[in-house]
Amino acid sequence: FPSHDSYLDGLTSVLSAQENTTRTNNSTTSKSFGYTLNNDLQYQHRFKKTRRTVSLNLNMQANNRSGDGAYYSNSVYYLQNDSTALIDQKYTNESTSWTLAPTLSYTEPLGKRAMLLWSTRASFQRNNAEKLTSDIIGSVSSQNSSLSNVYAYQYDKKATGLYYKFSTDSIDFSIGSGLEQSSLRSDQTFPSQFTTSRDFINVLPRINFTKRF
Protein backbone atom coordinates (compact mmCIF):
# COMPACT_ATOMS: atom_id res chain seq x y z
CA PHE A 1 0.00 0.00 0.00
CA PRO A 2 2.24 2.89 -1.16
CA SER A 3 1.47 6.23 0.45
CA HIS A 4 2.90 9.72 0.21
CA ASP A 5 2.63 12.82 2.40
CA SER A 6 4.24 16.21 1.87
CA TYR A 7 3.98 19.58 3.60
CA LEU A 8 5.29 23.02 2.62
CA ASP A 9 5.11 26.29 4.52
CA GLY A 10 6.56 29.36 2.77
CA LEU A 11 6.89 33.11 3.28
CA THR A 12 7.61 35.64 0.52
CA SER A 13 8.90 39.14 1.39
CA VAL A 14 9.66 42.42 -0.41
CA LEU A 15 13.11 43.34 0.96
CA SER A 16 13.01 47.02 0.04
CA ALA A 17 9.79 47.54 1.92
CA GLN A 18 10.65 45.06 4.67
CA GLU A 19 7.16 43.67 4.38
CA ASN A 20 5.80 40.17 4.08
CA THR A 21 3.80 39.85 0.85
CA THR A 22 2.62 36.23 0.75
CA ARG A 23 2.43 33.34 3.15
CA THR A 24 1.52 29.90 1.77
CA ASN A 25 0.84 26.61 3.48
CA ASN A 26 0.58 23.51 1.27
CA SER A 27 0.02 19.85 2.09
CA THR A 28 -0.65 16.75 -0.03
CA THR A 29 -1.47 13.20 0.97
CA SER A 30 -2.01 10.13 -1.21
CA LYS A 31 -2.20 6.36 -0.99
CA SER A 32 -2.62 3.72 -3.67
CA PHE A 33 -3.05 -0.01 -4.17
CA GLY A 34 -2.70 -2.16 -7.26
CA TYR A 35 -1.95 -5.55 -8.76
CA THR A 36 -0.89 -6.99 -12.13
CA LEU A 37 -1.58 -10.52 -13.36
CA ASN A 38 -0.05 -12.11 -16.46
CA ASN A 39 -0.56 -15.71 -17.55
CA ASP A 40 0.30 -17.78 -20.65
CA LEU A 41 -1.27 -21.12 -21.51
CA GLN A 42 -0.12 -23.25 -24.44
CA TYR A 43 -1.30 -26.54 -25.91
CA GLN A 44 0.33 -28.34 -28.85
CA HIS A 45 -0.64 -31.56 -30.57
CA ARG A 46 1.78 -33.44 -32.85
CA PHE A 47 0.24 -35.71 -35.45
CA LYS A 48 1.76 -38.96 -36.64
CA LYS A 49 2.96 -37.22 -39.77
CA THR A 50 6.26 -35.48 -39.02
CA ARG A 51 6.04 -31.68 -38.59
CA ARG A 52 2.24 -31.63 -38.80
CA THR A 53 1.11 -29.81 -35.66
CA VAL A 54 -1.70 -27.73 -34.25
CA SER A 55 -1.16 -25.41 -31.30
CA LEU A 56 -3.22 -23.04 -29.18
CA ASN A 57 -1.75 -20.22 -27.12
CA LEU A 58 -3.74 -18.07 -24.71
CA ASN A 59 -2.34 -14.93 -23.08
CA MET A 60 -4.26 -13.24 -20.27
CA GLN A 61 -3.42 -9.98 -18.50
CA ALA A 62 -5.22 -8.01 -15.80
CA ASN A 63 -4.35 -4.77 -14.02
CA ASN A 64 -5.99 -2.81 -11.25
CA ARG A 65 -5.01 0.50 -9.62
CA SER A 66 -6.93 2.42 -6.99
CA GLY A 67 -6.14 5.20 -4.57
CA ASP A 68 -7.21 8.42 -2.96
CA GLY A 69 -5.63 11.61 -1.74
CA ALA A 70 -6.05 15.21 -0.70
CA TYR A 71 -4.54 18.59 -1.54
CA TYR A 72 -4.69 21.64 0.72
CA SER A 73 -3.31 25.11 0.01
CA ASN A 74 -3.85 28.28 2.02
CA SER A 75 -2.25 31.49 0.69
CA VAL A 76 -2.48 34.89 2.41
CA TYR A 77 -1.58 38.03 0.41
CA TYR A 78 -0.61 41.04 2.56
CA LEU A 79 0.04 43.87 0.09
CA GLN A 80 -2.68 46.52 -0.28
CA ASN A 81 -5.91 44.77 0.65
CA ASP A 82 -5.21 41.54 2.51
CA SER A 83 -6.77 38.52 0.81
CA THR A 84 -6.79 34.74 1.19
CA ALA A 85 -6.85 31.99 -1.45
CA LEU A 86 -7.90 28.59 -0.13
CA ILE A 87 -7.87 25.28 -2.03
CA ASP A 88 -9.11 22.16 -0.26
CA GLN A 89 -9.57 19.12 -2.49
CA LYS A 90 -10.02 15.38 -2.14
CA TYR A 91 -9.91 12.80 -4.91
CA THR A 92 -10.35 9.11 -5.66
CA ASN A 93 -8.67 7.35 -8.55
CA GLU A 94 -9.38 3.88 -9.97
CA SER A 95 -8.41 2.11 -13.21
CA THR A 96 -8.89 -1.46 -14.37
CA SER A 97 -7.82 -3.22 -17.56
CA TRP A 98 -7.69 -6.71 -18.98
CA THR A 99 -6.48 -8.31 -22.20
CA LEU A 100 -7.33 -11.71 -23.66
CA ALA A 101 -5.27 -12.85 -26.67
CA PRO A 102 -5.72 -16.36 -28.20
CA THR A 103 -3.64 -17.67 -31.11
CA LEU A 104 -4.35 -20.84 -33.14
CA SER A 105 -1.67 -22.23 -35.51
CA TYR A 106 -1.45 -25.18 -37.89
CA THR A 107 1.64 -26.45 -39.76
CA GLU A 108 1.56 -28.81 -42.74
CA PRO A 109 4.80 -30.24 -44.16
CA LEU A 110 5.37 -30.01 -47.91
CA GLY A 111 8.16 -32.48 -48.54
CA LYS A 112 11.29 -32.58 -46.43
CA ARG A 113 12.27 -28.92 -46.61
CA ALA A 114 9.07 -26.94 -47.06
CA MET A 115 6.17 -26.18 -44.78
CA LEU A 116 2.84 -24.36 -44.91
CA LEU A 117 1.86 -22.33 -41.84
CA TRP A 118 -1.66 -21.06 -41.14
CA SER A 119 -2.38 -18.97 -38.09
CA THR A 120 -5.22 -16.90 -36.70
CA ARG A 121 -5.03 -14.68 -33.67
CA ALA A 122 -7.21 -12.25 -31.80
CA SER A 123 -6.83 -9.70 -29.04
CA PHE A 124 -9.55 -8.21 -26.84
CA GLN A 125 -8.60 -5.29 -24.60
CA ARG A 126 -10.75 -3.37 -22.11
CA ASN A 127 -9.79 -0.35 -20.00
CA ASN A 128 -11.81 1.69 -17.51
CA ALA A 129 -10.55 4.79 -15.69
CA GLU A 130 -12.26 6.99 -13.13
CA LYS A 131 -10.91 10.01 -11.30
CA LEU A 132 -13.27 12.08 -9.17
CA THR A 133 -12.12 15.29 -7.48
CA SER A 134 -14.16 17.28 -4.98
CA ASP A 135 -13.72 20.85 -3.72
CA ILE A 136 -14.31 21.24 0.00
CA ILE A 137 -15.75 24.56 1.17
CA GLY A 138 -16.54 24.40 4.86
CA SER A 139 -18.77 21.38 5.30
CA VAL A 140 -19.95 21.43 1.68
CA SER A 141 -18.38 19.17 -0.97
CA SER A 142 -18.88 19.81 -4.71
CA GLN A 143 -17.59 17.96 -7.77
CA ASN A 144 -14.70 19.59 -9.66
CA SER A 145 -15.46 18.66 -13.26
CA SER A 146 -12.19 20.07 -14.66
CA LEU A 147 -10.20 17.61 -12.51
CA SER A 148 -12.56 14.64 -12.90
CA ASN A 149 -12.91 12.08 -15.65
CA VAL A 150 -14.78 8.81 -16.26
CA TYR A 151 -13.55 6.96 -19.34
CA ALA A 152 -13.86 3.54 -20.99
CA TYR A 153 -11.76 2.18 -23.86
CA GLN A 154 -11.87 -1.03 -25.87
CA TYR A 155 -9.67 -2.33 -28.67
CA ASP A 156 -10.37 -5.57 -30.56
CA LYS A 157 -8.12 -7.10 -33.20
CA LYS A 158 -8.38 -10.22 -35.37
CA ALA A 159 -5.83 -11.44 -37.92
CA THR A 160 -5.41 -14.49 -40.16
CA GLY A 161 -2.39 -15.37 -42.27
CA LEU A 162 -1.00 -18.08 -44.55
CA TYR A 163 2.76 -18.50 -45.05
CA TYR A 164 5.09 -20.74 -47.02
CA LYS A 165 8.49 -21.66 -45.54
CA PHE A 166 11.45 -23.35 -47.19
CA SER A 167 14.70 -24.27 -45.39
CA THR A 168 18.01 -25.92 -46.21
CA ASP A 169 21.28 -26.13 -44.33
CA SER A 170 22.30 -22.71 -45.69
CA ILE A 171 19.11 -20.74 -46.39
CA ASP A 172 15.74 -19.91 -44.88
CA PHE A 173 13.02 -18.45 -47.07
CA SER A 174 9.42 -17.56 -46.21
CA ILE A 175 6.65 -15.65 -47.95
CA GLY A 176 3.02 -15.04 -47.17
CA SER A 177 0.38 -12.54 -46.25
CA GLY A 178 -2.20 -11.84 -43.58
CA LEU A 179 -5.37 -9.82 -43.16
CA GLU A 180 -5.96 -7.87 -39.96
CA GLN A 181 -9.21 -6.27 -38.80
CA SER A 182 -9.30 -4.01 -35.76
CA SER A 183 -11.84 -1.78 -34.06
CA LEU A 184 -11.33 0.99 -31.52
CA ARG A 185 -14.02 2.48 -29.31
CA SER A 186 -13.78 5.00 -26.49
CA ASP A 187 -16.57 6.36 -24.29
CA GLN A 188 -16.33 9.29 -21.90
CA THR A 189 -19.28 9.72 -19.56
CA PHE A 190 -17.96 12.52 -17.32
CA PRO A 191 -17.55 15.50 -17.27
CA SER A 192 -19.01 15.47 -20.80
CA GLN A 193 -20.33 12.57 -22.85
CA PHE A 194 -18.83 11.58 -26.17
CA THR A 195 -18.03 8.41 -28.10
CA THR A 196 -15.26 7.73 -30.60
CA SER A 197 -15.33 4.68 -32.88
CA ARG A 198 -12.88 3.62 -35.58
CA ASP A 199 -12.50 0.49 -37.74
CA PHE A 200 -9.36 -0.54 -39.61
CA ILE A 201 -8.42 -3.22 -42.18
CA ASN A 202 -4.76 -3.92 -42.94
CA VAL A 203 -3.06 -6.28 -45.38
CA LEU A 204 0.19 -7.63 -43.91
CA PRO A 205 2.47 -9.09 -46.59
CA ARG A 206 5.71 -10.67 -45.38
CA ILE A 207 8.82 -12.02 -47.09
CA ASN A 208 12.06 -13.12 -45.48
CA PHE A 209 15.32 -14.56 -46.79
CA THR A 210 18.32 -15.61 -44.66
CA LYS A 211 21.64 -16.91 -45.98
CA ARG A 212 24.07 -18.68 -43.65
CA PHE A 213 27.76 -18.77 -44.59
Side-chain angles (χ1 to χ4, degrees):
F1 299 90
S3 61
H4 174 73
D5 300 283
S6 65
Y7 305 92
L8 175 64
D9 192 358
L11 181 66
T12 303
S13 301
V14 178
L15 296 180
S16 61
Q18 295 297 312
E19 293 180 347
N20 298 328
T21 59
T22 306
R23 186 177 188 89
T24 302
N25 175 263
N26 293 328
S27 68
T28 61
T29 61
S30 64
K31 62 180 180 179
S32 61
F33 168 80
Y35 65 82
T36 299
L37 301 176
N38 193 345
N39 194 20
D40 271 300
L41 299 176
Q42 186 175 41
Y43 169 80
Q44 185 180 66
H45 176 74
R46 296 176 183 269
F47 294 90
K48 291 183 179 181
K49 187 174 182 179
T50 304
R51 296 186 296 137
R52 176 185 287 174
T53 65
V54 61
S55 60
L56 174 65
N57 180 269
L58 182 63
N59 176 260
M60 297 171 286
Q61 300 179 24
N63 296 274
N64 179 273
R65 296 287 184 272
S66 61
D68 57 66
Y71 174 72
Y72 177 87
S73 175
N74 187 17
S75 300
V76 181
Y77 304 93
Y78 295 106
L79 289 181
Q80 297 178 353
N81 297 326
D82 292 351
S83 60
T84 301
L86 176 64
I87 300 176
D88 189 2
Q89 295 175 335
K90 293 184 178 180
Y91 70 87
T92 60
N93 194 4
E94 182 172 4
S95 63
T96 59
S97 66
W98 61 264
T99 302
L100 182 65
T103 300
L104 179 65
S105 301
Y106 175 79
T107 61
E108 177 66 25
L110 302 176
K112 294 182 178 181
R113 299 188 179 277
M115 175 184 296
L116 198 63
L117 169 63
W118 172 86
S119 69
T120 182
R121 67 182 189 275
S123 176
F124 308 96
Q125 182 179 349
R126 300 293 184 272
N127 295 272
N128 293 277
E130 176 182 285
K131 182 177 182 181
L132 300 177
T133 302
S134 299
D135 293 318
I136 312 299
I137 303 176
S139 59
V140 178
S141 175
S142 60
Q143 198 84 63
N144 187 321
S145 59
S146 64
L147 297 177
S148 299
N149 184 272
V150 180
Y151 188 80
Y153 165 89
Q154 69 179 56
Y155 181 58
D156 295 337
K157 182 169 60 176
K158 300 175 183 178
T160 299
L162 185 64
Y163 307 94
Y164 172 82
K165 294 185 176 183
F166 178 82
S167 298
T168 68
D169 295 336
S170 59
I171 66 170
D172 288 316
F173 172 76
S174 65
I175 187 171
S177 183
L179 182 67
E180 181 182 82
Q181 297 175 294
S182 58
S183 63
L184 169 67
R185 180 184 175 91
S186 61
D187 295 283
Q188 179 177 287
T189 57
F190 188 83
S192 58
Q193 294 187 1
F194 70 84
T195 298
T196 301
S197 182
R198 296 287 187 274
D199 295 308
F200 308 92
I201 296 179
N202 297 307
V203 178
L204 307 173
R206 187 175 71 185
I207 185 170
N208 180 70
F209 178 79
T210 302
K211 171 67 175 177
R212 289 183 291 273
F213 297 95

